[in-house]
Amino acid sequence: MEHVRHPILSRILLVTTLALVVLPVLVDLSGSDRFRPFGYLAADAFYYLTVGRNLAETGRTTFDQRHETNGFHPLWQVLTGGMFVLLPRLGVGEPGLLRGTLLFGLLLLTAGIALLLRAMADRETGSSPMIVTLPVGAYAVILLPIWAGWLTDLSLRVPTEGTLPLYGTLWSHVNGMESALVIFMLGVTADRFIRGKIVHSPSAAAGFGALLGLLTLARLDHGFFAVALIAVLGVESARSREARARILVVMGVFFAVVGGYLLFKELRYGAAFPTSGALKSTFPHPRPENFADLGRLLRGEAGDRIALVIRHAQMDLPVAVALVHLALAAVVGVRRKREEISRNAARVDRFLVALAFGVLLLGAYNFLFVRSVQQWHWYYPVSTLFVGLVAVRWLDRFVRGWARTPVGASVWIGGWCVASISVFLAFHRPPDYHAKYARFYYELAPRVREHYGEERPGLLSFDDGIVAFSTRFPTMSGKGLNLDPIAARERREGRLLELALARGYDRITSLVYLEHWGRADFRRDPAGAADRFARFALKKNYREGYRFVSELHEPDEGFVILRVERED
């Protein structure tokens, strides 16, 4: 059977895979109207964008324009602030900056995948033909029947965001969040782990420790993957005294980078861990809700809650794949000890084993200590990618011979190009996804600013940053994720409203979450609806003795601003 020479096929596979990552997004963003970037930006991206703009304008990491917050993952926040400094100097306006943020994320994502593919390519046979599956990815393929409606009639439309795109594809990591940066750092780390000689010199060990530290600073809970990689290196080096010393260097530098950052935050903000993480986590006390939610899903009692299906799929499915992979790797590893395999293949196998342990650690932590409804797809960029990498590795054992013939390679590559583009067009571009955000930014927010004229009211906003970013008004994070540590403490103790009023944030607002409880009430009973909304939004921070007056209401968008007044 004639095979395509591997250098040629490897280049074709690499170029095709990267083109499938880049071109659909690039064509979509360049050929669409000004609303289209909002179809990519995650809801929480507006936290980063607001803090980034304030960082560029004030030099401080503040969400409310007055008090510093630490509710972010640091590397992406710094890069976002840098874009707000650089792009305006190049004549790029804020709408262009939104596209620029997405394109920068696309660049990072593509570079990370390129590094991963280079590292995982076999020295003798080149890249696996299976790599062209990665832009869609095995994780998204598993979820595809839900989106296509083949196995369930769950509605893909949620009131807060619109019709959901297919999460878990590589395109879904172009979202204005840290996801693409995490994958870039994973690619750099994989390249060093697989191709480098980490334990051969102190400088190489120190450099790898620094990389693991940067991976963690890209997304702090992904320190679990850094710990897993260090553990695998430690097992490999157990028999060599010199290698064990190098592992200590890796660990020392890693802990110095991460520990130094946490110490800086403790000294600067008065809290080492991010406000957002501390708010969501109950560590070390497990919470039972995730067990109950998973039980409901397994019994088919999820109802129409597609969000619950997605949240447990992203948390539980990679864990199941990791367990299966570790079991198969143990069986195959015993047999491979009797075979001659390349050093590169062995390193790839160990890298995937390390990722599997990282998936288990992250999944277990989030399942035990973070409520599933507080997690969304940007929590798991490496876990969902891991499912695709494992599929590439195992499928390659069964079909690589056929897919390396001239006819087989042409059919395989061409077929996956058609399939990938079809998935992108059918499931990645729902027209109403975040259309509400775009309408608010371009149409409603200018009217809100005009309504208040020279006044810049202080808002306590119960959404994910879109109101703060679009209006440019001083805005406290009512949901708590970007509060300063003092305000976060007051929120936990039920005193957020009093603090907000004392600081001058005397309006309550929401764009996104008003629909949850019936916005039509404002038309029939404005006073009663305002009070019910305040109770719903503030929860234990609600206080008697205040009157909530509807100051601005846009019923078509479900947007409201309530003025808070003390009752006489």
Side-chain angles (χ1 to χ4, degrees):
M1 181 181 291
E2 181 185 358
H3 286 196
V4 181
R5 291 180 64 244
H6 80 77
I8 298 174
L9 181 58
S10 288
R11 284 194 289 271
I12 293 172
L13 289 167
L14 179 61
V15 170
T16 301
T17 303
L18 297 181
L20 286 174
V21 175
V22 174
L23 292 181
V25 176
L26 201 58
V27 172
D28 188 21
L29 286 174
S30 61
S32 301
D33 61 20
R34 60 182 183 170
F35 281 32
R36 184 63 190 130
F38 288 84
Y40 283 85
L41 291 165
D44 283 23
F46 295 98
Y47 286 130
Y48 278 110
L49 292 169
T50 302
V51 175
R53 184 174 62 197
N54 291 339
L55 177 61
E57 293 178 354
T58 69
R60 302 162 66 222
T61 55
T62 173
F63 181 80
D64 65 13
Q65 302 182 20
R66 299 168 188 167
H67 306 87
E68 286 198 301
T69 180
N70 69 345
F72 48 76
H73 299 288
L75 281 190
W76 183 241
Q77 189 61 81
V78 169
L79 291 174
T80 305
M83 284 186 280
F84 273 95
V85 171
L86 176 63
L87 293 184
R89 293 182 179 179
L90 299 176
V92 178
E94 196 166 87
L97 194 145
L98 296 179
R99 290 182 189 266
T101 299
L102 295 172
L103 293 175
F104 182 52
L106 179 62
L107 175 65
L108 290 172
L109 174 68
T110 307
I113 295 299
L115 288 168
L116 267 172
L117 296 181
R118 183 181 78 157
M120 295 181 68
D122 190 274
R123 291 288 190 271
E124 297 177 359
T125 58
S127 296
S128 164
M130 300 301 107
I131 66 173
V132 293
T133 66
L134 282 177
V136 176
Y139 174 84
V141 169
I142 294 171
L143 294 188
L144 188 59
I146 297 176
W147 260 257
W150 298 332
L151 298 182
T152 176
D153 58 355
L154 284 175
S155 172
L156 297 176
R157 190 182 188 284
V158 297
T160 54
E161 301 194 72
T163 303
L164 301 177
L166 178 58
Y167 293 134
T169 66
L170 290 182
W171 308 305
S172 65
H173 299 314
V174 183
N175 55 18
M177 299 288 289
E178 69 279 346
S179 309
L181 177 61
V182 171
I183 290 177
F184 172 73
M185 291 308 309
L186 179 72
V188 178
T189 302
D191 189 66
R192 288 297 84 205
F193 184 93
I194 296 170
R195 293 162 56 90
K197 298 180 179 179
I198 298 168
V199 298
H200 285 211
S201 70
S203 60
F208 190 71
L211 278 180
L212 294 179
L214 291 175
L215 172 63
T216 303
L217 297 186
R219 182 169 175 91
L220 294 171
D221 56 6
H222 279 48
F224 286 122
F225 291 96
V227 170
L229 286 163
I230 291 173
V232 169
L233 282 174
V235 171
E236 288 180 343
S237 307
R239 297 182 180 179
S240 167
R241 182 176 179 180
E242 184 179 25
R244 289 198 302 271
R246 302 287 189 265
I247 298 303
L248 291 177
V249 173
V250 173
M251 294 173 60
V253 174
F254 167 68
F255 286 115
V257 171
V258 177
Y261 172 71
L262 295 179
L263 178 61
F264 165 77
K265 290 216 302 182
E266 180 66 37
L267 296 175
R268 176 70 179 261
Y269 305 106
F273 293 96
T275 303
S276 53
L279 177 68
K280 294 179 178 181
S281 175
T282 61
F283 181 84
H285 307 291
R287 55 192 312 164
E289 295 94 338
N290 287 344
F291 292 94
D293 289 343
L294 180 59
R296 290 172 51 218
L297 288 176
L298 295 177
R299 293 191 301 270
E301 299 173 0
D304 288 332
R305 297 187 64 188
I306 183 64
L308 185 61
V309 174
I310 295 170
R311 282 163 168 147
H312 268 277
Q314 66 190 11
M315 182 165 47
D316 305 333
L317 179 58
V319 167
V321 172
L323 290 172
V324 172
H325 176 69
L326 289 174
L328 292 174
V331 173
V332 173
V334 172
R335 190 178 70 223
R336 275 195 163 189
K337 287 182 179 179
R338 308 188 194 101
E339 301 174 357
E340 288 291 328
I341 64 170
S342 69
R343 176 187 179 277
N344 191 75
R347 300 298 298 164
V348 171
D349 288 342
R350 289 170 185 170
F351 177 72
L352 290 178
V353 165
L355 288 192
F357 281 114
V359 167
L360 293 179
L361 290 171
L362 178 62
Y365 177 86
N366 284 340
F367 189 87
L368 290 173
F369 305 114
V370 183
R371 183 76 192 274
S372 63
V373 298
Q374 296 175 316
Q375 305 175 43
W376 210 223
H377 64 96
W378 52 84
Y379 277 60
Y380 296 97
V382 174
S383 297
T384 53
L385 176 59
F386 166 78
V387 176
L389 294 176
V390 166
V392 166
R393 196 67 173 162
W394 288 101
L395 286 174
D396 191 51
R397 298 174 183 270
F398 300 103
V399 300
R400 71 183 302 166
W402 172 81
R404 286 181 179 279
T405 65
V407 174
S410 300
V411 171
W412 178 257
I413 294 172
W416 265 102
C417 286
V418 172
S420 299
I421 298 301
S422 299
V423 168
F424 180 87
L425 294 175
F427 302 109
H428 193 69
R429 304 183 74 252
D432 63 329
Y433 180 68
H434 285 180
K436 183 174 186 174
Y437 290 59
R439 290 194 303 269
F440 184 81
Y441 179 82
Y442 283 113
E443 298 171 1
L444 184 51
R447 298 205 304 269
V448 174
R449 291 194 295 268
E450 183 180 359
H451 173 83
Y452 284 100
E454 296 298 319
E455 182 185 4
R456 299 181 73 246
L459 307 177
L460 181 61
S461 182
F462 291 86
D463 55 43
D464 296 308
I466 180 63
V467 171
F469 183 73
S470 301
T471 64
R472 289 179 168 261
F473 293 159
T475 305
M476 287 183 71
S477 173
K479 293 181 68 180
L481 301 183
N482 254 340
L483 290 173
D484 59 281
I486 293 174
R489 184 190 65 225
E490 295 297 291
R491 183 182 182 274
R492 286 194 303 271
E493 297 177 359
R495 298 193 296 265
L496 180 61
L497 181 59
E498 291 95 328
L499 177 66
L501 293 173
R503 288 179 172 183
Y505 300 88
D506 59 354
R507 271 83 164 186
I508 295 177
T509 187
S510 175
L511 170 70
V512 176
Y513 295 102
L514 183 59
E515 283 193 79
H516 276 316
W517 53 277
R519 60 187 181 184
D521 284 353
F522 269 92
R523 296 177 175 177
R524 299 194 302 266
D525 179 20
D531 188 73
R532 284 191 292 274
F533 171 67
R535 290 177 184 271
F536 168 81
L538 290 164
K539 296 182 173 59
K540 71 177 184 179
N541 287 277
Y542 178 87
R543 288 291 181 271
E544 301 291 345
Y546 293 97
R547 181 170 54 249
F548 303 92
V549 180
S550 178
E551 189 171 72
L552 181 64
H553 180 220
E554 292 285 344
D556 292 337
E557 293 294 351
F559 176 69
V560 64
I561 294 179
L562 307 179
R563 187 175 66 256
V564 185
E565 300 176 346
R566 291 186 182 273
E567 292 182 342
D568 295 331

